[in-house]
Amino acid sequence: MEELEQGLLMQPWAWLQLAEDSLLAKAYITKQGYALLVSDLHHVWHEQVDTSVVSQRAKELNKRLTAPPAAFLCHLADLLRPLLKDTACPGKATFSCDHVAEALILRVRSELSGLPFYWNFHCILASPSLVSQHLIRPLMGMSLALQCQARELATLLHLKDLEIQDYQESGAALSRDRLKTEPFEENSFLEQFMVEKLPEACSVGDGRPFVMNLQSLYLAVTRQEVQVGQKHQGTEDPQTSSSASPQGTDSQLLNQPEELISSAPSLPAPEKEPTGTSGPVQRPQLSKVKRKKLRGLFS
């Protein structure tokens, strides 16, 4: 599994409200590119690009800004982080989305080094295998995990009933009658749950309950999927597995799956007067060829 694919799989879902659109989204960004997955619970859209696409799109949308792709990717990560992490500090970008045929375009408008910055995420319909990887298989795994958890809790309740029964047979009595409970009957409980609790419990709505309450379990299941895949891949070809595993300075997938981007170069502020030497990362600066006033691309 490639780095971007694995990194995206291990990201939690976020709930977005963009105008009238309620969306679920997840993203993963490195210095080599980004992967984005968006769903409105009816369709799933996806975009994955490398540095060549980032560089070309940046030139088309931001003609007065010059920087290497890694700097633009770092800036995109900074813009997406408040949106996807729901941090207390509001982001400085404006997001909107448009539906074009079967595609979804997520538009970003912000500032970079004092100049307007624009970006469009061009998301196409995700393949069935990608939907299975990020939704169907994890949700099935979560269902099985919750079922196993329910069985463990039912067993624990039976043991607690036996413990209470032993206390009662030894002459123990409750000091407060309001604490008295009936012995746990699993079948009766399940029947009552199906009638009284199920309609409310399985209300999906706009996806927000899934994002707010189940992301820890989702991440645990997807992490398990990745580990099983790595173990299987290592059994077949240890050399390929070790080389394909994302390590080093560009990402920290297993240690910090919540990070949108790691070890990417920070974006320095442009100097007023360019010097004769340049660092390893080119700073965004005004182009000397075109000094005309920038016109809004989305006005």
Side-chain angles (χ1 to χ4, degrees):
M1 185 183 298
E2 295 182 0
E3 178 185 351
L4 285 175
E5 294 175 353
Q6 179 172 305
L8 182 64
L9 179 60
M10 297 181 64
Q11 297 303 310
W13 287 94
W15 182 82
L16 313 179
Q17 185 67 50
L18 303 179
E20 298 179 354
D21 294 295
S22 297
L23 302 171
L24 301 183
K26 54 158 62 181
Y28 186 73
I29 303 179
T30 71
K31 290 189 295 183
Q32 281 69 47
Y34 67 76
L36 175 69
L37 201 62
V38 183
S39 175
D40 62 356
L41 301 186
H42 299 284
H43 304 87
V44 180
W45 297 275
H46 174 251
E47 184 184 34
Q48 180 170 322
V49 301
D50 56 18
T51 53
S52 62
V53 177
V54 171
S55 180
Q56 180 62 31
R57 193 173 300 174
K59 291 178 182 179
E60 295 173 355
L61 298 177
N62 305 278
K63 299 183 182 301
R64 299 178 68 191
L65 284 172
T66 302
F72 286 118
L73 288 166
C74 182
H75 186 60
L76 286 174
D78 291 338
L79 297 179
L80 286 176
R81 190 174 290 110
L83 180 72
L84 298 181
K85 300 301 179 183
D86 194 23
T87 58
C89 181
K92 298 180 180 180
T94 301
F95 294 87
S96 62
C97 65
D98 296 324
H99 297 268
V100 181
E102 294 184 340
L104 177 76
I105 300 179
L106 180 62
R107 304 184 188 275
V108 185
R109 183 171 184 173
S110 180
E111 286 190 1
L112 180 60
S113 301
L115 294 174
F117 174 80
Y118 303 97
W119 193 262
N120 294 341
F121 294 93
H122 295 273
C123 302
I124 62 174
L125 286 177
S127 65
S129 62
L130 198 65
V131 175
S132 175
Q133 184 183 41
H134 287 268
L135 285 171
I136 298 177
R137 290 185 62 86
L139 290 176
M140 290 180 67
M142 293 168 65
S143 299
L144 293 173
L146 290 173
Q147 183 186 36
C148 181
Q149 184 184 69
R151 287 199 302 265
E152 294 288 338
L153 290 174
T155 301
L156 182 61
L157 285 174
H158 285 303
L159 294 176
K160 290 293 184 182
D161 286 339
L162 293 176
E163 182 180 0
I164 294 173
Q165 182 180 353
D166 183 70
Y167 288 148
Q168 291 174 342
E169 292 175 352
S170 300
L174 283 173
S175 60
R176 289 168 288 185
D177 291 339
R178 62 183 177 83
L179 298 178
K180 184 177 181 180
T181 58
E182 296 296 328
F184 178 70
E185 294 291 341
E186 185 174 359
N187 291 334
S188 300
F189 170 80
L190 291 176
E191 292 176 359
Q192 184 178 5
F193 177 84
M194 292 294 183
V195 174
E196 299 179 0
K197 302 292 184 180
L198 184 64
E200 179 181 357
C202 68
S203 177
V204 176
D206 55 10
R208 193 170 188 178
F210 167 70
V211 169
M212 300 299 294
N213 303 320
L214 292 171
Q215 289 312 288
S216 295
L217 181 58
Y218 177 87
L219 289 178
V221 171
T222 54
R223 186 179 296 113
Q224 179 67 21
E225 284 272 322
V226 170
Q227 292 174 352
V228 171
Q230 289 177 337
K231 185 180 297 184
H232 179 70
Q233 186 178 11
T235 302
E236 291 182 348
D237 189 350
Q239 294 182 353
T240 304
S241 176
S242 60
S243 62
S245 178
Q247 302 292 339
T249 60
D250 290 346
S251 61
Q252 301 173 6
L253 299 180
L254 299 179
N255 295 331
Q256 294 180 338
E258 71 279 1
E259 290 297 331
L260 286 172
I261 185 170
S262 54
S263 302
S266 59
L267 195 63
E271 296 181 353
K272 295 182 179 179
E273 296 183 1
T275 60
T277 59
S278 60
V281 176
Q282 185 179 356
R283 299 179 179 182
Q285 54 186 328
L286 291 176
S287 173
K288 294 184 179 180
V289 178
K290 297 183 180 180
R291 297 181 179 272
K292 296 181 180 180
K293 184 178 179 181
L294 178 66
R295 298 181 63 185
L297 297 179
F298 307 108
S299 58

